[in-house]
C-alpha cells in the first residue's frame, strides 16, 4: 500500500479495514496537528537528551552534531520538551512565525 | 427425516446452532432469550456439541468475545434480548465494521423503564443503524430455518456481515411448536465451512480495528453501506436455495391475500399471523384487505415493498416500538420515507401497539383497519395513534 493519506480512497481498504502491512502508522503525519513548534537554542542546549526521553510522540532524534531535535512531520506541539528542558533551551513558537 | 417434532422454539434455535457446526458461543443469559443459550450450554457440557461456550460477565463482554472468536475465523453465535442488546450496543458497530459474520438471535423484549421482560421491538429498533443484516421471523419453523440461512448469508464471501435474527420474546421463544428439523448431512451441504480472508494467524499477522482518521472514515462508511445494501441479492438467493432444498420459501416481503386488496396492513414478527386471522375475518365480510409482512429490515427492501403495495389505496403500519417525541413508530416513518418520491403511493397511517407484551388480538387489527380509514376521511394523517390505551 504505502500510500499517503491524501491519495487513499475507498478502493484501498481491505475487507473490514484490515491493515496487512505492519508499522504503517509512520505514514500518518501528525505534525499538522500542532499550533506551536519547539525550537532549540543551540547556544543554551547542552545535549543532555532529556527532551528525547520525555517526548511522548517519540519524534525527537539526535543529529550528527549531537543535538536532539524534533521531527516536525510528527511533532504535535505538546510542549513537554520545552517544559522539561533543564537549560530552558527550547521555546514553543507559533506555527505562523518564522 | 422431515418429521415434525413438538419443541420449544428456543430449543429448536439451539439445535440450529448445533447443526450449523458453531465453533464458539459467547453469551449471557437474559429473559426471554435464556433457554436458547441454556440449551446450547447443556449440549456442549454433555459432549453433544463440539464447541467452546464462553461464559461472560455481561452482554458487552459477550459481543466482545464474539469479536475475538470471529477474528480467528471461528463460526460464532450468540443470543440476547432487551437490555442485553443495549449493553452490547457499541460493540455491534465494531462487529459490522470489521465484517465479522457473527450470527445473533434477539428475543425481542421491551426496554426498561419501567422494567418489563415481555415482548416488543424497542430493543432491536434501537440498533437499527448498526450495520448488521436484520430480519424478523413469524413462527418457530421460520426461526429455525432462517437461523441456518443466517450463517450461510453472513459468511458468504461477498457479504461477510454479522446477521441478527429477531423473534418475539415469549410469543415465539417460549411456545412449543411442531418443527421440522433438518438432517445434519443436509445442513453441511447447505452451509460450507467459514473462510475469513484475514483470519488471525501467528504466521500472518494483521491489524484489525485500526483507527480511521477524518481522511478515511467517510470512505469506510460508504463501503459499509454498499456492503449492506448489496447483501440483499445474496439474502434472496440463499432463501431461494433453501426453498429449493428444503421446501420452505422465504422472501424479504411476504404478502397475504393482497391480490385485489385496497387496504393493506403491515406487520413484522409473530403478530403477522394474528393479523392474518383478522384479514380472513374481514374478507368474509367482503372487505378488500390484505397483509404485508416485512421480513427483511436491513438492508431495507425498498423495491419489493413498493411492488407489493402499488395497487393499494391505504397502507396501515403497526409498530411495536415508539420513537418518543418523534414521528411515531420507526417502521412507519421509514415506510413513509420509502414512498416519498413515488408518484403512486398509498395513504400511509401508523399505529403503535403490542408494547411491552400487550396482546394484539385479531379484533385489534380489525379496529386498526377501520380506524385507519376514519383517519384518512378526517384528514388527520400525521397523527400517531396508540392502540388500546386505557384513558
Amino acid at each position: 500500500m504505502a500510500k499517503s493519506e491524501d491519495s487513499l480512497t475507498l478502493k484501498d481498504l481491505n475487507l473490514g479495514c484490515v491493515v496487512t502491512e505492519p508499522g504503517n502508522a509512520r505514514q500518518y503525519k501528525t505534525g499538522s496537528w500542532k499550533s506551536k513548534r519547539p525550537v532549540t537554542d543551540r547556544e543554551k542546549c547542552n545535549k543532555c537528551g532529556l527532551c528525547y526521553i520525555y517526548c511522548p510522540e517519540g519524534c525527537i532524534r539526535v543529529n550528527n552534531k549531537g543535538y536532539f531535535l524534533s521531527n516536525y512531520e510528527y511533532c504535535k506541539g505538546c510542549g513537554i520538551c520545552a517544559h522539561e528542558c533543564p537549560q530552558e533551551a527550547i521555546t514553543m513558537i507559533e506555527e505562523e512565525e518564522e | 427425516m422431515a418429521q415434525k417434532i413438538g419443541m420449544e422454539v428456543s430449543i429448536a434455535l439451539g439445535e440450529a446452532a448445533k447443526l450449523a457446526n458453531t465453533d464458539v458461543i459467547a453469551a449471557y443469559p437474559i429473559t426471554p432469550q435464556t433457554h436458547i443459550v441454556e440449551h446450547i450450554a447443556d449440549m456442549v457440557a454433555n459432549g453433544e456439541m463440539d464447541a467452546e461456550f464462553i461464559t461472560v460477565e455481561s452482554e458487552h463482554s459477550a459481543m466482545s468475545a464474539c469479536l475475538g472468536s470471529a477474528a480467528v475465523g471461528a463460526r460464532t453465535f450468540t443470543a440476547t434480548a432487551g437490555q442485553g442488546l443495549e449493553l452490547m450496543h457499541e460493540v455491534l458497530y465494531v462487529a459490522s465494521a470489521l465484517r465479522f459474520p457473527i450470527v445473533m438471535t434477539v428475543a425481542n423484549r421491551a426496554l426498561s423503564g419501567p422494567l418489563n421482560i415481555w415482548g416488543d421491538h424497542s430493543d432491536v429498533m434501537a440498533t437499527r443503524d448498526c450495520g448488521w443484516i436484520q430480519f424478523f421471523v413469524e413462527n418457530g419453523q421460520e426461526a429455525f430455518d432462517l437461523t441456518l440461512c443466517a450463517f450461510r448469508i453472513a459468511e458468504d464471501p461477498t457479504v461477510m456481515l454479522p446477521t441478527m435474527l429477531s423473534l418475539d420474546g415469549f410469543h415465539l421463544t417460549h411456545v412449543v411448536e411442531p418443527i421440522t428439523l433438518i438432517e445434519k448431512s443436509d445442513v453441511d451441504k447447505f452451509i460450507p465451512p467459514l473462510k475469513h480472508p484475514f483470519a488471525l494467524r501467528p504466521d500472518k499477522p494483521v491489524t484489525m480495528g485500526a483507527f480511521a482518521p477524518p481522511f478515511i472514515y467517510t470512505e469506510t462508511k460508504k463501503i459499509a453501506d454498499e456492503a449492506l445494501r448489496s447483501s440483499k441479492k445474496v439474502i434472496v438467493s440463499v432463501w431461494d436455495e433453501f426453498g429449493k432444498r428444503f421446501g420452505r420459501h422465504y422472501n424479504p416481503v411476504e404478502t397475504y391475500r393482497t391480490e385485489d386488496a385496497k387496504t393493506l396492513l403491515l406487520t413484522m414478527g409473530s403478530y403477522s399471523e394474528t393479523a392474518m386471522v383478522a384479514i380472513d375475518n374481514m374478507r368474509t365480510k367482503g372487505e378488500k384487505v390484505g397483509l404485508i409482512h416485512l421480513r427483511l429490515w436491513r438492508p431495507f427492501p425498498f423495491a419489493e415493498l413498493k411492488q407489493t403495495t402499488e395497487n393499494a389505496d391505504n397502507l396501515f403500519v403497526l409498530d411495536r416500538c415508539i420513537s418518543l417525541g418523534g414521528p411515531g413508530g420507526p417502521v412507519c416513518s421509514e415506510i413513509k420515507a420509502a414512498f416519498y418520491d413515488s408518484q403512486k403511493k398509498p395513504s400511509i397511517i401508523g399505529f403503535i401497539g403490542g408494547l411491552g407484551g400487550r396482546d394484539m388480538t385479531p379484533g385489534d387489527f380489525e379496529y386498526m383497519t377501520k380506524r385507519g380509514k376514519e383517519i384518512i376521511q378526517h384528514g388527520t394523517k400525521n397523527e400517531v395513534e396508540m392502540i388500546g390505551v386505557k384513558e
Side-chain angles (χ1 to χ4, degrees):
Chain A
M1 190 176 74
K3 278 193 178 179
S4 72
E5 59 190 70
D6 292 336
S7 59
L8 275 177
T9 72
L10 51 80
K11 292 187 188 71
D12 298 306
L13 296 171
N14 286 320
L15 183 83
C17 303
V18 158
V19 179
T20 53
E21 181 190 3
N24 72 354
R26 190 184 293 270
Q27 287 159 234
Y28 182 38
K29 307 276 173 68
T30 49
S32 64
W33 296 15
K34 65 179 171 295
S35 58
K36 288 182 173 180
R37 66 179 186 274
V39 175
T40 304
D41 180 345
R42 298 186 192 193
E43 298 288 309
K44 290 184 185 171
C45 175
N46 64 358
K47 302 176 181 174
C48 70
L50 276 179
C51 55
Y52 163 82
I53 289 165
Y54 277 106
C55 175
E57 188 59 27
C59 74
I60 297 178
R61 289 285 182 275
V62 63
N63 75 0
N64 53 13
K65 290 185 177 142
Y67 290 107
F68 291 86
L69 300 171
S70 295
N71 181 337
Y72 293 147
E73 285 192 337
Y74 299 102
C75 171
K76 293 171 180 163
C78 69
I80 287 175
C81 54
H83 184 265
E84 296 296 339
C85 178
Q87 298 297 109
E88 297 185 356
I90 302 174
T91 315
M92 299 301 292
I93 66 163
E94 295 290 337
E95 275 289 69
E96 298 87 66
E97 291 173 27
E98 284 298 314
Chain B
M1 193 195 151
Q3 191 188 349
K4 285 188 178 184
I5 304 167
M7 66 167 70
E8 191 186 290
V9 173
S10 287
I11 305 299
L13 291 180
E15 293 292 328
K18 181 176 85 170
L19 285 165
N21 285 325
T22 304
D23 298 308
V24 175
I25 304 95
Y28 190 85
I30 181 169
T31 302
Q33 161 273 140
T34 307
H35 292 184
I36 301 170
V37 293
E38 270 181 357
H39 183 60
I40 293 173
D42 275 351
M43 291 190 291
V44 172
N46 293 340
E48 297 163 37
M49 182 172 175
D50 181 19
E52 287 292 326
F53 192 104
I54 308 175
T55 50
V56 286
E57 72 276 33
S58 76
E59 286 83 358
H60 190 280
S61 299
M63 186 47 64
S64 300
C66 286
L67 296 185
S69 159
V72 298
R75 184 167 287 159
T76 307
F77 176 82
T78 187
T80 191
Q83 307 304 119
L85 185 65
E86 302 317 304
L87 189 50
M88 280 182 182
H89 194 90
E90 60 155 334
V91 195
L92 297 176
Y93 288 73
V94 182
S96 58
L98 291 173
R99 308 288 292 274
F100 285 159
I102 298 161
V103 172
M104 174 161 68
T105 304
V106 177
N108 299 133
R109 162 178 162 170
L111 292 180
S112 297
L115 177 63
N116 179 296
I117 59 168
W118 293 271
D120 73 23
H121 295 166
S122 322
D123 55 357
V124 72
M125 288 300 160
T127 68
R128 184 188 64 177
D129 299 330
C130 69
W132 287 48
I133 293 169
Q134 301 184 343
F135 37 83
F136 284 74
V137 302
E138 184 176 300
N139 57 45
Q141 184 67 57
E142 184 176 335
F144 173 81
D145 292 347
L146 295 195
T147 299
L148 296 178
C149 291
F151 285 103
R152 171 74 187 274
I153 293 164
E155 296 173 7
D156 186 286
T158 65
V159 176
M160 294 302 281
L161 282 168
T163 301
M164 195 184 290
L165 178 140
S166 281
L167 79 162
D168 288 323
F170 293 112
H171 284 112
L172 287 182
T173 53
H174 284 55
V175 296
V176 174
E177 288 192 21
I179 291 175
T180 305
L181 299 182
I182 298 175
E183 291 291 329
K184 180 79 173 67
S185 54
D186 292 331
V187 175
D188 287 345
K189 281 179 213 145
F190 181 61
I191 310 175
L194 166 60
K195 286 198 182 95
H196 193 292
F198 298 110
L200 290 175
R201 296 277 181 278
D203 58 347
K204 199 180 140 197
V206 295
T207 302
M208 289 177 171
F211 84 147
F215 66 79
I216 200 71
Y217 184 83
T218 305
E219 286 69 22
T220 70
K221 291 296 131 182
K222 176 72 179 166
I223 286 184
D225 186 50
E226 282 178 356
L228 190 50
R229 283 175 197 279
S230 60
S231 71
K232 195 175 77 180
K233 56 183 182 299
V234 176
I235 296 167
V236 170
S237 85
V238 168
W239 286 350
D240 278 351
E241 188 190 323
F242 185 91
K244 284 182 192 123
R245 280 176 185 263
F246 305 112
R248 292 183 293 278
H249 300 270
Y250 299 103
N251 296 297
V253 178
E254 297 286 355
T255 57
Y256 181 70
R257 303 189 78 170
T258 54
E259 318 77 47
D260 58 342
K262 291 296 161 200
T263 297
L264 298 173
L265 305 185
L266 186 144
T267 53
M268 290 164 86
S270 65
Y271 283 15
S272 304
E273 296 199 344
T274 315
M276 286 178 195
V277 177
I279 298 289
D280 288 345
N281 292 344
M282 289 185 281
R283 282 276 179 182
T284 56
K285 294 174 202 158
E287 290 186 56
K288 290 189 172 175
V289 291
L291 178 74
I292 306 282
H293 167 213
L294 191 58
R295 176 171 292 123
L296 185 61
W297 175 235
R298 282 294 181 274
F300 192 87
F302 291 101
E304 291 84 347
L305 181 74
K306 283 185 184 171
Q307 207 179 1
T308 52
T309 48
E310 60 191 0
N311 295 320
D313 297 331
N314 308 317
L315 178 60
F316 302 150
V317 179
L318 177 73
D319 264 282
R320 294 192 66 192
C321 174
I322 181 164
S323 171
L324 297 169
V331 180
C332 188
S333 63
E334 291 219 2
I335 283 166
K336 282 181 178 171
F339 280 104
Y340 182 77
D341 282 329
S342 302
Q343 295 295 323
K344 194 163 173 271
K345 55 191 161 195
S347 294
I348 302 168
I349 309 288
F351 291 88
I352 289 163
L355 298 182
R358 176 81 59 92
D359 274 334
M360 284 276 293
T361 63
D364 290 323
F365 285 102
E366 289 184 49
Y367 166 80
M368 188 174 138
T369 313
K370 184 167 135 274
R371 181 70 190 136
K373 289 178 186 169
E374 279 173 15
I375 292 171
I376 289 167
Q377 269 177 358
H378 296 138
T380 52
K381 280 167 65 174
N382 287 327
E383 285 184 14
V384 178
E385 179 160 327
M386 292 176 76
I387 293 173
V389 178
K390 299 166 190 168
E391 294 185 13

CSV table of all heavy atoms in Angstrom, one decimal, chain A residues 5 8-10 13-20 28, chain B residues 97-99 197-198 206-207 211 213 215 220 222-223:
chain,number,residue,atom,x,y,z
A,5,GLU,N,-1.8,9.7,3.0
A,5,GLU,CA,-3.2,9.8,3.4
A,5,GLU,C,-4.1,10.6,2.4
A,5,GLU,O,-5.2,10.3,2.3
A,5,GLU,CB,-3.3,10.4,4.8
A,5,GLU,CG,-2.7,11.8,4.9
A,5,GLU,CD,-2.6,12.3,6.4
A,5,GLU,OE1,-1.8,11.7,7.1
A,5,GLU,OE2,-3.4,13.1,6.7
A,8,LEU,N,-5.2,8.1,-0.5
A,8,LEU,CA,-6.0,6.9,-0.2
A,8,LEU,C,-7.5,7.1,-0.6
A,8,LEU,O,-8.1,8.1,-0.3
A,8,LEU,CB,-6.0,6.7,1.4
A,8,LEU,CG,-4.9,5.9,2.0
A,8,LEU,CD1,-5.0,5.9,3.5
A,8,LEU,CD2,-4.8,4.5,1.4
A,9,THR,N,-8.1,6.0,-1.2
A,9,THR,CA,-9.5,6.1,-1.5
A,9,THR,C,-10.1,4.8,-0.9
A,9,THR,O,-9.4,3.9,-0.4
A,9,THR,CB,-9.8,6.1,-3.0
A,9,THR,OG1,-9.5,4.8,-3.5
A,9,THR,CG2,-8.9,7.2,-3.7
A,10,LEU,N,-11.5,4.7,-1.1
A,10,LEU,CA,-12.1,3.5,-0.5
A,10,LEU,C,-11.6,2.2,-1.2
A,10,LEU,O,-11.7,1.1,-0.7
A,10,LEU,CB,-13.6,3.6,-0.6
A,10,LEU,CG,-14.3,4.1,-1.9
A,10,LEU,CD1,-14.5,2.9,-2.8
A,10,LEU,CD2,-15.7,4.6,-1.6
A,13,LEU,N,-9.1,0.1,0.7
A,13,LEU,CA,-9.4,-0.5,2.0
A,13,LEU,C,-9.7,-2.0,1.8
A,13,LEU,O,-10.5,-2.4,0.9
A,13,LEU,CB,-10.7,0.2,2.6
A,13,LEU,CG,-10.5,1.6,3.0
A,13,LEU,CD1,-11.8,2.3,3.3
A,13,LEU,CD2,-9.5,1.8,4.1
A,14,ASN,N,-9.1,-2.8,2.7
A,14,ASN,CA,-9.4,-4.2,2.7
A,14,ASN,C,-10.7,-4.5,3.4
A,14,ASN,O,-11.3,-3.6,4.1
A,14,ASN,CB,-8.3,-5.0,3.5
A,14,ASN,CG,-7.0,-5.1,2.8
A,14,ASN,OD1,-7.0,-5.3,1.6
A,14,ASN,ND2,-5.9,-4.9,3.5
A,15,LEU,N,-11.2,-5.7,3.3
A,15,LEU,CA,-12.4,-6.2,4.0
A,15,LEU,C,-12.2,-5.9,5.5
A,15,LEU,O,-11.2,-6.3,6.1
A,15,LEU,CB,-12.6,-7.7,3.8
A,15,LEU,CG,-13.9,-8.3,4.4
A,15,LEU,CD1,-15.1,-8.0,3.5
A,15,LEU,CD2,-13.7,-9.7,4.7
A,16,GLY,N,-13.2,-5.2,6.1
A,16,GLY,CA,-13.2,-4.9,7.5
A,16,GLY,C,-12.1,-3.9,7.8
A,16,GLY,O,-11.7,-3.8,9.0
A,17,CYS,N,-11.6,-3.2,6.8
A,17,CYS,CA,-10.5,-2.2,7.0
A,17,CYS,C,-9.3,-2.8,7.7
A,17,CYS,O,-8.6,-2.1,8.4
A,17,CYS,CB,-11.0,-1.0,7.8
A,17,CYS,SG,-12.4,-0.2,7.1
A,18,VAL,N,-9.0,-4.1,7.4
A,18,VAL,CA,-7.9,-4.8,8.0
A,18,VAL,C,-6.6,-4.2,7.4
A,18,VAL,O,-6.6,-3.9,6.2
A,18,VAL,CB,-8.0,-6.3,7.7
A,18,VAL,CG1,-6.6,-7.0,7.7
A,18,VAL,CG2,-8.9,-6.9,8.6
A,19,VAL,N,-5.6,-4.0,8.2
A,19,VAL,CA,-4.3,-3.5,7.7
A,19,VAL,C,-3.3,-4.6,7.7
A,19,VAL,O,-3.1,-5.3,8.7
A,19,VAL,CB,-3.8,-2.3,8.7
A,19,VAL,CG1,-2.4,-1.8,8.2
A,19,VAL,CG2,-4.8,-1.2,8.7
A,20,THR,N,-2.8,-4.9,6.5
A,20,THR,CA,-2.0,-6.1,6.4
A,20,THR,C,-0.5,-5.8,6.5
A,20,THR,O,0.3,-6.7,6.5
A,20,THR,CB,-2.2,-6.8,5.0
A,20,THR,OG1,-2.1,-5.8,4.0
A,20,THR,CG2,-3.6,-7.4,5.0
A,28,TYR,N,1.4,8.1,8.8
A,28,TYR,CA,0.4,9.1,9.2
A,28,TYR,C,1.1,10.3,9.9
A,28,TYR,O,1.5,10.2,11.0
A,28,TYR,CB,-0.6,8.4,10.2
A,28,TYR,CG,-1.7,9.3,10.7
A,28,TYR,CD1,-2.3,10.2,9.9
A,28,TYR,CD2,-2.1,9.2,12.0
A,28,TYR,CE1,-3.3,11.0,10.3
A,28,TYR,CE2,-3.2,10.0,12.5
A,28,TYR,CZ,-3.8,10.9,11.6
A,28,TYR,OH,-4.8,11.7,12.1
B,97,ALA,N,-18.3,-3.3,11.3
B,97,ALA,CA,-17.2,-2.6,10.6
B,97,ALA,C,-16.1,-3.5,10.3
B,97,ALA,O,-15.4,-3.4,9.3
B,97,ALA,CB,-16.8,-1.4,11.5
B,98,LEU,N,-15.9,-4.5,11.2
B,98,LEU,CA,-14.8,-5.5,11.0
B,98,LEU,C,-15.2,-6.6,10.0
B,98,LEU,O,-14.4,-7.5,9.7
B,98,LEU,CB,-14.3,-6.0,12.3
B,98,LEU,CG,-13.6,-5.1,13.2
B,98,LEU,CD1,-13.3,-5.7,14.6
B,98,LEU,CD2,-12.3,-4.6,12.6
B,99,ARG,N,-16.5,-6.6,9.6
B,99,ARG,CA,-17.0,-7.6,8.7
B,99,ARG,C,-16.9,-9.0,9.3
B,99,ARG,O,-16.5,-9.9,8.6
B,99,ARG,CB,-16.4,-7.5,7.3
B,99,ARG,CG,-16.4,-6.1,6.7
B,99,ARG,CD,-17.8,-5.6,6.3
B,99,ARG,NE,-18.2,-6.4,5.1
B,99,ARG,CZ,-18.0,-6.1,3.9
B,99,ARG,NH1,-17.2,-5.0,3.6
B,99,ARG,NH2,-18.4,-6.8,2.9
B,197,PRO,N,-11.0,-14.2,5.0
B,197,PRO,CA,-9.7,-14.0,4.2
B,197,PRO,C,-8.6,-13.4,5.1
B,197,PRO,O,-7.4,-13.6,4.8
B,197,PRO,CB,-10.1,-13.0,3.1
B,197,PRO,CG,-11.4,-12.3,3.6
B,197,PRO,CD,-12.1,-13.4,4.4
B,198,PHE,N,-8.9,-12.7,6.2
B,198,PHE,CA,-7.9,-12.2,7.1
B,198,PHE,C,-7.9,-12.7,8.5
B,198,PHE,O,-7.4,-12.1,9.4
B,198,PHE,CB,-8.0,-10.6,7.1
B,198,PHE,CG,-7.9,-10.0,5.8
B,198,PHE,CD1,-9.0,-9.4,5.2
B,198,PHE,CD2,-6.6,-9.9,5.2
B,198,PHE,CE1,-8.8,-8.7,4.0
B,198,PHE,CE2,-6.5,-9.3,3.9
B,198,PHE,CZ,-7.6,-8.7,3.3
B,206,VAL,N,-2.0,-9.4,11.1
B,206,VAL,CA,-2.7,-8.2,10.5
B,206,VAL,C,-3.2,-7.3,11.7
B,206,VAL,O,-3.2,-7.8,12.8
B,206,VAL,CB,-3.9,-8.6,9.6
B,206,VAL,CG1,-3.5,-9.4,8.4
B,206,VAL,CG2,-5.0,-9.3,10.4
B,207,THR,N,-3.5,-6.1,11.3
B,207,THR,CA,-4.1,-5.2,12.3
B,207,THR,C,-5.6,-5.1,12.1
B,207,THR,O,-6.0,-4.8,10.9
B,207,THR,CB,-3.5,-3.8,12.2
B,207,THR,OG1,-2.1,-3.9,12.3
B,207,THR,CG2,-4.1,-2.8,13.2
B,211,PHE,N,-7.5,2.7,13.8
B,211,PHE,CA,-8.4,3.8,13.8
B,211,PHE,C,-8.4,4.4,12.4
B,211,PHE,O,-7.5,4.3,11.6
B,211,PHE,CB,-8.1,4.8,14.9
B,211,PHE,CG,-7.0,5.8,14.7
B,211,PHE,CD1,-7.2,7.0,15.3
B,211,PHE,CD2,-5.9,5.5,14.0
B,211,PHE,CE1,-6.2,8.0,15.2
B,211,PHE,CE2,-4.9,6.4,13.9
B,211,PHE,CZ,-5.0,7.7,14.4
B,213,PRO,N,-8.9,8.0,10.8
B,213,PRO,CA,-9.0,9.5,11.0
B,213,PRO,C,-9.9,10.1,9.9
B,213,PRO,O,-10.4,9.4,9.0
B,213,PRO,CB,-7.5,9.9,10.8
B,213,PRO,CG,-6.7,8.7,10.9
B,213,PRO,CD,-7.5,7.6,10.4
B,215,PHE,N,-9.5,11.6,7.3
B,215,PHE,CA,-9.2,11.5,5.9
B,215,PHE,C,-9.7,10.2,5.3
B,215,PHE,O,-9.7,10.0,4.1
B,215,PHE,CB,-7.7,11.7,5.6
B,215,PHE,CG,-6.8,10.6,6.2
B,215,PHE,CD1,-6.7,9.4,5.5
B,215,PHE,CD2,-6.1,10.8,7.3
B,215,PHE,CE1,-5.8,8.4,6.1
B,215,PHE,CE2,-5.2,9.9,7.8
B,215,PHE,CZ,-5.1,8.7,7.2
B,220,THR,N,-14.9,4.5,4.8
B,220,THR,CA,-15.2,3.2,5.5
B,220,THR,C,-16.8,3.1,5.6
B,220,THR,O,-17.3,2.0,5.5
B,220,THR,CB,-14.6,3.1,6.9
B,220,THR,OG1,-15.2,4.0,7.8
B,220,THR,CG2,-13.1,3.3,6.9
B,222,LYS,N,-19.0,4.5,3.6
B,222,LYS,CA,-19.5,4.3,2.2
B,222,LYS,C,-19.4,2.8,1.9
B,222,LYS,O,-20.4,2.2,1.4
B,222,LYS,CB,-18.7,5.2,1.2
B,222,LYS,CG,-19.1,5.0,-0.2
B,222,LYS,CD,-20.4,5.6,-0.5
B,222,LYS,CE,-20.8,5.4,-2.0
B,222,LYS,NZ,-22.2,5.7,-2.2
B,223,ILE,N,-18.3,2.2,2.2
B,223,ILE,CA,-18.1,0.8,1.9
B,223,ILE,C,-19.1,0.0,2.7
B,223,ILE,O,-19.7,-1.0,2.2
B,223,ILE,CB,-16.7,0.4,2.2
B,223,ILE,CG1,-15.8,0.9,1.1
B,223,ILE,CG2,-16.6,-1.2,2.3
B,223,ILE,CD1,-14.3,0.4,1.3
